[in-house]
């Protein structure tokens, strides 16, 4: 790859390789991770981005003496090819979340006896175990006790310092004390005397606290250590007010310096039994635990609990969806009127106007992720983001994909719609309709409680598969409650099924099949759905059943539909959905926005 003289990445890699040489490692593993195994990272831990130039939210960088590689899945291939051009970093295309190709590349790059370096403080226990095992079998060594990035990263950001705050009633419908009692009950059932939590969403949920340390996610950098009576919150100095500390102390929660988490683990009594989640604790923190302490590895109990929204929380989410849907109608009415007047708009305008509309709604806190507004070929990049120095004008004909979301005190939203700009073709309509059929196919699903989410994935893909088509990302991710827009444990995807992926009442999941033609257009239609009981004529003789309640409230474009491909039951579902959207949103709208809603929710017929 030819170096780009204007790119800072070659110089950064040169400094990094010099630091690697001093640390006596021949390759360096740099994941998209932090001491909390987060998906979205505070700037201090965006080393993969700093040393590669790739800005996607997921990806792994490996730097060798002579070669460097960035491993990314299909959502990011087009973006990575553009951002890595001229950096000296090669793109290696992998499946979603796959670690084996990364390890295989490392084994092929290194010679027997050479050393791979990584920072155990940001590598999950599970990933570290896989790496150590594979490299040992290849007669390679691992050095994990040094943060090589630190000496090569000029002006590396420090710890985030935004203050934390309480998530309070009525939206915080379950008290802190109740959540702590629930987790302690799960600890007792597992036979654990102590439980260590590093994952930021689990910490925030458990303590009914929120922060601003990570863009778009209302979380904060912290760890928690729980025993039978007390909980210690490891937090950077100055982030918690004296008044809030007193409130927390009333529930047995005490503050300790962030840097003392490893020390506290090392000081556990010899007869302690510690519960940790191997996917959500770093290898470095696990290694701090004394050898005599028995460790139980299992999914954090809080991960299961926070995924199952209570009835009260679900009601607040429904209200948030009404506010969000009203904002979307106001945006689209403004947008379409401006286009009709001949105003020249860009992808950046979409982001600006949607955020303006949402900011006026009750309970709005901020965006839940960077808005994706992709016109034509840009829409074919699932995680595309328009930037001030790189965006498209909405000129000519084609499809505009808009994926956006918001944080409200009573819920988190995530919605994708596709709209025609100018004239569209029969090929556009065919692709759009197949995606819509898949979304409807999953929307109407009914299934036994406890069904693993991946078993439902084919329902959304079937219309596409029957046409020889597919998409590379998952169909659905869990969504938090005024929390991360991506959460587990459930997933609707091609993931290998594991027991913790079981679908349970109260879970909120996205339903977002798509289709992407690189350089041409991208289509994705997304609603959020809630797992609710399904009462069948069999009166539960075959066990509890669940179905989906569609939460998202916003018209789905009908101009792009090829009616000849739609079955009668699919049209009925769409008409019923639009009737619900109109009934729920009309009281919140007036003027042009109400007229737009009414126009866009008229029933469809074949006639």
């Amino acid at each position: 790859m030819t170096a780009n003289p204007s790119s800072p990445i070659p110089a950064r890699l040169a400094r990094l390789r010099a630091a690697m040489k001093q640390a006596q490692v021949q390759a360096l593993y740099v994941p998209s991770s932090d001491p909390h195994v987060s998906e979205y990272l505070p700037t201090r831990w965006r080393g993969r981005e700093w040393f590669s130039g790739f800005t996607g939210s997921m990806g792994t960088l490996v730097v060798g003496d002579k070669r460097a590689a960035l491993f990314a899945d299909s959502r990011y291939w087009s973006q990575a090819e553009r951002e890595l051009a001229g950096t000296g970093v090669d793109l290696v295309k992998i499946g979603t979340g796959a670690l084996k190709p990364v390890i295989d590349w490392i084994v092929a790059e290194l010679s027997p006896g050479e050393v791979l370096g990584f920072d155990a403080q940001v590598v999950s226990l599970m990933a570290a175990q896989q790496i150590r095992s594979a490299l040992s079998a290849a007669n390679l060594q691992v050095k994990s006790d040094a943060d090589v990035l630190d000496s090569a990263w000029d002006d590396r950001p420090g710890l985030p310092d935004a203050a934390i705050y309480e998530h309070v009633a009525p939206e915080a419908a379950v008290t802190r004390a109740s959540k702590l009692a629930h987790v302690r009950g799960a600890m007792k059932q597992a036979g654990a005397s102590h439980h260590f939590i590093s994952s930021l969403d689990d910490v925030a949920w458990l303590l009914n606290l929120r922060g601003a340390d990570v863009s778009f996610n209302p979380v904060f950098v912290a760890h928690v250590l729980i025993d039978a009576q007390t909980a210690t919150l490891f937090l950077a100095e100055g982030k918690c007010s004296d008044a809030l500390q007193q409130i927390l102390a009333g529930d047995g929660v005490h503050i300790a310096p962030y840097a003392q988490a490893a020390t506290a683990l090392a000081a556990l009594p010899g007869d302690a039994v510690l519960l940790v989640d191997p996917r959500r604790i770093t290898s470095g923190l696990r290694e701090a635990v004394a050898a005599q302490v028995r460790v139980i590895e299992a999914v954090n109990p809080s991960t299961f609990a926070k995924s199952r929204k209570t009835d009260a929380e679900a009601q607040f989410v429904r209200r948030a969806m009404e506010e969000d849907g009203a904002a979307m109608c106001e945006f689209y009415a403004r947008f379409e009127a401006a286009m009709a007047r001949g105003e020249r708009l860009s992808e950046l305008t979409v982001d600006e106007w949607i955020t303006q509309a949402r900011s006026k709604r009750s309970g709005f806190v901020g965006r839940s992720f960077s808005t994706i507004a992709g016109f034509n070929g840009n829409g074919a990049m699932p995680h595309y983001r328009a930037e001030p120095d790189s965006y498209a004008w909405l000129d000519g004909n084609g499809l505009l994909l808009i994926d956006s979301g918001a944080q409200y005190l009573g819920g988190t939203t995530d919605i994708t719609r596709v709209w025609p700009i100018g004239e569209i073709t029969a090929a556009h309509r065919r692709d759009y309709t197949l995606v819509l059929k898949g979304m409807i196919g999953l929307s109407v699903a009914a299934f036994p409680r406890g069904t693993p989410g991946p078993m439902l994935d084919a329902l959304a893909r079937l219309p596409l598969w029957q046409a020889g088509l597919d998409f590379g990302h998952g169909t659905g991710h869990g969504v938090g409650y005024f929390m991360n827009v991506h959460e587990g444990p459930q997933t609707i995807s091609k993931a290998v099924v594991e027991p913790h992926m079981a679908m349970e009442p109260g879970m909120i999941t996205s339903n977002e099949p798509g289709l992407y033609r690189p350089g041409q257009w991208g289509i994705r239609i997304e609603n959020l759905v809630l797992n609710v009981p399904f009462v069948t004529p069999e009166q539960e003789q075959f066990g509890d059943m669940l179905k989906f309640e569609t939460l998202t409230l916003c018209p789905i474009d009908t101009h792009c539909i090829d009616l000849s491909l739609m079955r009668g039951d699919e049209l009925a579902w769409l008409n019923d959905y639009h009737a619900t959207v109109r009934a729920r949103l009309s009281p919140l709208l007036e003027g042009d926005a109400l007229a737009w809603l009414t126009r866009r929710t008229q029933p469809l017929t074949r006639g």
Side-chain angles (χ1 to χ4, degrees):
M1 180 183 293
T2 303
N4 179 356
S6 65
S7 171
I9 301 305
R12 292 175 185 175
L13 287 174
R15 289 196 297 272
L16 184 58
R17 288 187 168 109
M20 290 164 52
K21 185 175 182 179
Q22 187 171 1
Q24 298 182 320
V25 299
Q26 285 72 52
L28 188 68
Y29 171 78
V30 186
S32 295
S33 186
D34 64 6
H36 309 273
V37 199
S38 306
E39 177 182 359
Y40 298 103
L41 309 176
T43 54
R44 174 170 179 77
W45 291 290
R46 295 181 190 169
R48 183 266 296 156
E49 178 179 334
W50 179 259
F51 288 101
S52 72
F54 172 63
T55 62
S57 61
M58 296 183 71
T60 299
L61 173 67
V62 180
V63 179
D65 286 341
K66 298 180 178 60
R67 298 174 60 210
L70 187 286
F71 300 81
D73 64 54
S74 63
R75 295 171 293 173
Y76 303 99
W77 290 347
S78 296
Q79 176 185 349
E81 286 171 349
R82 183 182 72 251
E83 293 182 339
L84 296 178
T87 63
V89 180
D90 299 324
L91 171 63
V92 179
K93 299 178 179 180
I94 62 172
T96 304
L99 183 57
K100 186 178 183 300
V102 181
I103 294 174
D104 289 346
W105 190 94
I106 293 168
V107 170
E109 188 71 12
L110 295 180
S111 301
E114 290 190 319
V115 181
L116 170 74
F118 65 76
D119 180 7
Q121 302 305 320
V122 300
V123 176
S124 75
L125 174 59
M126 183 167 287
Q129 289 170 339
Q130 288 180 253
I131 292 170
R132 291 181 190 278
S133 176
L135 267 63
S136 175
N139 194 25
L140 297 170
Q141 300 179 47
V142 171
K143 183 176 183 180
S144 60
D145 58 353
D147 185 355
V148 179
L149 299 186
D150 218 32
S151 59
W153 190 345
D154 295 338
D155 300 320
R156 183 177 185 179
L159 288 172
D161 57 6
I164 64 172
Y165 59 96
E166 266 199 294
H167 187 213
V168 298
E171 289 87 358
V174 182
T175 67
R176 183 183 303 110
S178 295
K179 292 178 178 180
L180 285 165
H182 175 86
V183 169
R184 288 187 175 112
M187 290 166 54
K188 185 176 181 180
Q189 188 172 8
S193 61
H194 294 74
H195 177 32
F196 186 76
I197 306 175
S198 274
S199 39
L200 303 185
D201 52 342
D202 285 292
V203 172
W205 174 88
L206 177 66
L207 300 179
N208 278 354
L209 299 174
R210 297 295 187 269
D213 288 352
V214 180
S215 299
F216 311 118
N217 298 329
V219 296
F220 54 96
V221 172
H223 305 279
V224 168
L225 180 61
I226 307 172
D227 62 25
Q229 287 82 36
T230 64
T232 303
L233 175 63
F234 298 94
L235 190 69
E237 185 178 359
K239 292 179 68 69
C240 185
S241 68
D242 291 342
L244 182 51
Q245 288 191 48
Q246 291 181 7
I247 293 171
L248 293 172
D251 287 322
V253 180
H254 306 287
I255 307 295
Y258 177 76
Q260 289 184 7
T263 304
L265 287 174
L268 289 174
D271 61 350
V273 180
L274 178 66
L275 172 63
V276 299
D277 187 336
R279 295 173 178 82
R280 310 202 74 181
I281 186 174
T282 65
S283 175
L285 285 167
R286 171 63 182 87
E287 291 166 5
V289 180
Q292 65 269 29
V293 172
R294 186 162 72 90
V295 175
I296 298 171
E297 294 184 1
V299 176
N300 289 332
S302 51
T303 297
F304 290 123
K306 71 180 172 60
S307 72
R308 301 168 187 174
K309 282 62 178 177
T310 66
D311 290 344
E313 289 171 337
Q315 192 57 29
F316 280 113
V317 171
R318 294 183 184 102
R319 294 182 193 175
M321 292 292 175
E322 291 173 350
E323 296 290 344
D324 204 62
M328 297 299 290
C329 291
E330 290 174 350
F331 159 73
Y332 282 119
R334 178 185 181 185
F335 174 80
E336 290 192 357
M339 292 290 288
R341 290 192 299 268
E343 293 184 25
R344 195 179 189 217
L345 306 181
S346 75
E347 295 167 339
L348 294 175
T349 311
V350 172
D351 187 11
E352 177 187 351
W353 286 8
I354 283 181
T355 303
Q356 287 177 359
R358 284 186 165 124
S359 67
K360 301 173 185 176
R361 307 310 306 186
S362 176
F364 174 81
V365 177
R367 294 182 296 170
S368 56
F369 57 94
S370 293
T371 299
I372 300 167
F375 184 49
N376 284 339
N378 290 341
M381 296 181 277
H383 280 219
Y384 169 78
R385 183 177 65 209
E387 300 284 3
D389 59 351
S390 177
Y391 62 91
W393 292 96
L394 307 183
D395 296 333
N397 303 314
L399 297 178
L400 172 64
L401 183 153
I402 305 176
D403 187 351
S404 66
Q407 298 286 3
Y408 296 86
L409 292 174
T412 301
T413 71
D414 182 1
I415 173 176
T416 309
R417 294 291 186 263
V418 173
W419 304 96
I421 303 296
E423 298 296 324
I424 61 170
T425 67
H428 287 130
R429 290 190 171 85
R430 173 179 176 270
D431 283 357
Y432 180 93
T433 307
L434 293 175
V435 172
L436 176 60
K437 287 166 68 71
M439 194 276 287
I440 295 173
L442 184 57
S443 299
V444 301
F447 46 93
R449 177 178 179 176
T451 298
M455 292 183 66
L456 304 175
D457 185 65
L459 298 175
R461 296 181 189 268
L462 184 59
L464 293 163
W465 285 350
Q466 289 174 330
L469 305 168
D470 199 8
F471 55 96
H473 57 74
T475 299
H477 55 82
V479 178
Y481 178 69
F482 182 33
M483 190 60 71
N484 295 0
V485 75
H486 292 165
E487 76 167 21
Q490 80 274 27
T491 177
I492 301 176
S493 66
K494 295 180 181 179
V496 176
V497 171
E498 297 187 56
H500 65 266
M501 297 175 179
M503 298 292 271
E504 296 289 345
M507 288 180 167
I508 296 176
T509 312
S510 67
N511 172 3
E512 50 179 315
L515 179 61
Y516 309 95
R517 297 190 183 274
Q520 300 181 69
W521 60 78
I523 298 166
R524 186 166 63 254
I525 304 173
E526 176 187 18
N527 285 335
L528 301 189
V529 295
L530 172 70
N531 292 358
V532 296
F534 176 41
V535 179
T536 74
E538 298 293 339
Q539 300 296 314
E540 300 180 357
Q541 292 187 53
F542 293 87
D544 294 343
M545 300 289 288
L546 298 175
K547 63 179 180 178
F548 291 130
E549 172 191 338
T550 296
L551 295 170
T552 304
L553 299 169
C554 180
I556 295 169
D557 180 77
T558 56
H559 296 121
C560 292
I561 296 175
D562 181 343
L563 287 174
S564 70
L565 298 177
M566 295 283 284
R567 300 193 312 265
D569 61 308
E570 293 168 334
L571 278 177
W573 181 93
L574 185 61
N575 287 336
D576 287 346
Y577 174 70
H578 278 155
T580 298
V581 171
R582 185 168 60 252
R584 297 266 301 274
L585 298 187
S586 291
L588 301 178
L589 297 170
E590 59 185 14
D592 292 343
L594 178 58
W596 183 88
L597 170 68
T598 303
R599 187 168 63 250
R600 283 292 194 160
T601 54
Q602 292 303 307
L604 278 182
T605 63
R606 295 188 189 280

